[in-house]
Amino acid sequence: MEYIRYEQQGAVGIVTISRPRALNALSAAVLDELQAAFEGIDQQTVRCVIVTGEGEKSFVAGADIAEMSTLTRAQGEAFGKKGNDVFRYIETFPLPVIAAVNGFALGGGCELSLSCDIRLCSENAVFGQPEVGLGITPGFGGTQRLARTVGMGRAKEMIYGARNIKAPDALRIGLVNAVYPQEELMPAALKLAQTIARNAPIAVRACKKAINEGMQVDMDHAVAIEEKLFGSCFETEDQREGMQAFLEKRKVEQFKNR
Ligand code: CO8
């Protein structure tokens, strides 16, 4: 791949968007490779994924403005769908995905981070949806996921005003879970990913599905979704071992993903 690096460290997969000359902006080719990178993740051995950007300046500085500048209406809609499809793939990816936001997360970059389960960022991170300043709307899920994450009022203020916010404000409004000095960001993301990876993988995947799907429906349907996924954990080797270990007052050596 030209724009994506992928490596596996133990049970953690690390996807790095690497197009530093354009601050890791998302061209159609980058989006294709991002999708391919996720499709290639070995879901038997990987239990948590981290997405980050190359370098110390930018996570992703948005969709590629040069590429978008000449699109027709139909092509614009198709490009929006392309990004939405990739980000929805990430959002519904069975394994948890942590965004390690190492700098600018603007437009499509902010939207990519929002399609991940958890966002951690560096002190120099800047989040924003600058699209209305470019004559377009956020088109890779920003109008939907930002409001669902930080609330409608804050999302509208950021989107209508094309107002970027820095890491402390992102933390204050709940857009990110934690802020770290740049050099501590990846170690912190890895530590969190490894903590998640130690837990029963079938149960972790069921939690992701239950939270994501339950948030989109009313409470009666939401608890029904939870019941099904809760039930699906029983009779697994990991459920038996997890509970047996508790009863025998010992630690689980390693969950088996079975
Ligand atoms: N697209 C293409 N190229 C980019 C982008 C981008 N989004 N961002 C940066 N670059 C390029 C610059 O053109 C420049 O290239 P070159 O060296 O060849 O001139 C290089 O990256 C370095 O950038 P700067 O020189 O501008 O670096 P600065 O440190 O001066 O500024 C900023 C950094 C503030 C991040 C600045 O680059 C910037 O404002 N970038 C654009 C940010 C932006 O507006 N992003 C939103 C884009 S729109 C979007 O994401 C919509 C998503 C939904 C699409 C739906 C489609 C229908």
Side-chain angles (χ1 to χ4, degrees):
M1 289 198 195
E2 198 179 341
Y3 302 115
I4 304 286
R5 283 193 296 110
Y6 179 71
E7 61 174 306
Q8 190 175 333
Q9 281 189 28
V12 181
I14 304 170
V15 175
T16 305
I17 299 166
S18 181
R19 195 190 170 206
R21 269 181 301 166
L23 302 184
N24 305 327
L26 300 171
S27 62
V30 177
L31 287 170
D32 285 339
E33 290 190 10
L34 187 57
Q35 169 92 27
F38 270 84
E39 283 172 356
I41 291 172
D42 174 7
Q43 294 184 33
Q44 288 309 310
T45 55
V46 174
R47 296 186 179 175
C48 189
V49 180
I50 297 172
V51 177
T52 192
E54 187 79 55
E56 300 197 338
K57 183 170 176 182
S58 183
F59 174 67
V60 166
D64 191 305
I65 298 172
E67 209 176 78
M68 284 189 297
S69 61
T70 56
L71 297 184
T72 63
R73 272 187 195 172
Q75 289 168 332
E77 192 175 328
F79 189 55
K81 176 163 170 37
K82 186 180 183 72
N84 273 336
D85 287 350
V86 178
F87 289 8
R88 188 80 179 120
Y89 189 85
I90 294 171
E91 184 173 47
T92 59
F93 195 67
L95 306 174
V97 183
I98 298 169
V101 178
N102 55 307
F104 290 114
L106 300 175
C110 186
E111 291 167 306
L112 171 60
S113 79
L114 287 163
S115 72
C116 300
D117 294 281
I118 296 167
R119 284 156 295 287
L120 308 178
C121 78
S122 54
E123 286 168 342
N124 66 327
V126 177
F127 292 82
Q129 298 290 163
E131 285 87 348
V132 294
L134 296 163
I136 58 173
T137 67
F140 291 167
T143 59
Q144 304 309 310
R145 293 193 186 94
L146 187 60
R148 283 165 167 80
T149 305
V150 302
M152 210 189 277
R154 291 202 155 95
K156 285 179 172 173
E157 184 182 355
M158 279 177 71
I159 291 173
Y160 299 172
R163 200 171 69 84
N164 292 345
I165 60 169
K166 294 184 176 165
D169 279 338
L171 180 65
R172 185 177 52 79
I173 67 173
L175 181 52
V176 298
N177 288 24
V179 182
Y180 300 95
Q182 180 71 252
E183 66 279 8
E184 290 173 25
L185 174 64
M186 275 312 279
L190 271 166
K191 194 169 165 208
L192 176 59
Q194 284 155 356
T195 301
I196 293 169
R198 274 194 293 275
N199 289 318
I202 293 169
V204 171
R205 290 199 298 267
C207 290
K208 172 166 179 169
K209 204 168 156 58
I211 294 170
N212 280 2
E213 293 184 7
M215 288 294 284
Q216 308 306 324
V217 297
D218 64 75
M219 190 55 84
D220 287 327
H221 288 101
V223 292
I225 290 170
E226 185 187 75
E227 286 154 19
K228 281 263 174 261
L229 287 159
F230 176 67
S232 75
C233 297
F234 286 82
E235 298 180 41
T236 62
E237 277 185 42
D238 286 344
Q239 174 260 327
R240 297 237 154 104
E241 166 62 6
M243 293 191 177
Q244 202 56 39
F246 174 81
L247 295 172
E248 292 170 7
K249 302 191 188 307
R250 60 175 172 83
K251 283 213 154 90
V252 175
E253 284 276 307
Q254 197 178 12
F255 284 110
K256 299 221 161 57
N257 198 16
R258 289 200 293 261

